[in-house]
Amino acid sequence: MGFFSKDIKTMDDLFVHTLRDVYYAEQQVEKNLPKMIEKATNLSLKADFEAHLAETRGQIERLEKVFEMHGVKAKAVHCPAIDGILKEADEVAGEVEDKQVLDAALIAAGQAVEHYEITRYGTLIAWAKQLGRPDCAAELEKNLAEEKAADKKLTARAQGGVNLAAAE
Ligand SMILES: [Fe+2]
Ligand SMILES: [Fe+2]
């Protein structure tokens, strides 16, 4: 089903569709983070990715809770956007030989993922409120807060030496 499929008639349909989109995205992130952990050289960066993998698993569970609260089936719909972001990350990482430059590439890839998640959760929270579901919005806020924190951590990692080391 495409994003502007005729099956989406109401704001509620759009909300559920986008919830399923981010559910898919989180599942793909969960699948891809172990690869990024393996490739990272900087131990702090590795630890950040590991912590975010654990968080991602919690986020998936939280999304399942939101589906249940909203009375719809927890189902993933294909999200080409996250596939593209992850595919590009994989391709770039495959082309970087220098370990420190690879860390910088992994941070950039990680931040692209975080920003995608941040935009999706921001939208979902606004729509949940509009639909009179502050309870769903509150759960989604928890995921958004974790994505923002993960993004900040990656920025700190880059500024704290990974990019400098890569430039040497
Ligand atoms: Fe996430
Ligand atoms: Fe994330």
Side-chain angles (χ1 to χ4, degrees), residues 3 8-19 124 127:
F3 194 79
I8 300 171
K9 292 189 180 74
T10 64
M11 275 313 292
D12 193 82
D13 295 339
L14 188 59
F15 172 71
V16 171
H17 176 83
T18 308
L19 202 58
L124 280 166
W127 287 346

Side-chain angles (χ1 to χ4, degrees), residues 42-138:
N42 181 290
L43 292 180
S44 308
L45 179 61
K46 235 185 223 296
D48 290 343
F49 283 146
E50 264 160 17
H52 201 50
L53 175 58
E55 272 177 347
T56 299
R57 290 183 176 134
Q59 291 170 356
I60 291 171
E61 280 173 24
R62 221 174 263 137
L63 286 175
E64 284 163 357
K65 190 174 160 192
V66 174
F67 281 118
E68 206 186 313
M69 285 159 71
H70 202 56
V72 291
K73 214 173 123 198
K75 201 172 84 177
V77 294
H78 180 223
C79 164
I82 197 75
D83 282 350
I85 290 170
L86 293 171
K87 188 167 173 257
E88 186 181 31
D90 230 34
E91 283 174 7
V92 171
E95 283 167 18
V96 180
E97 230 178 277
D98 182 292
K99 289 286 178 208
Q100 284 165 336
V101 176
L102 179 57
D103 277 351
L106 290 172
I107 290 178
Q111 288 195 282
V113 171
E114 296 318 318
H115 281 247
Y116 178 74
E117 292 173 315
I118 288 167
T119 174
R120 278 292 179 252
Y121 284 121
T123 297
L124 280 166
I125 290 161
W127 287 346
K129 287 178 184 165
Q130 200 182 320
L131 289 165
R133 297 305 311 248
D135 52 341
C136 295

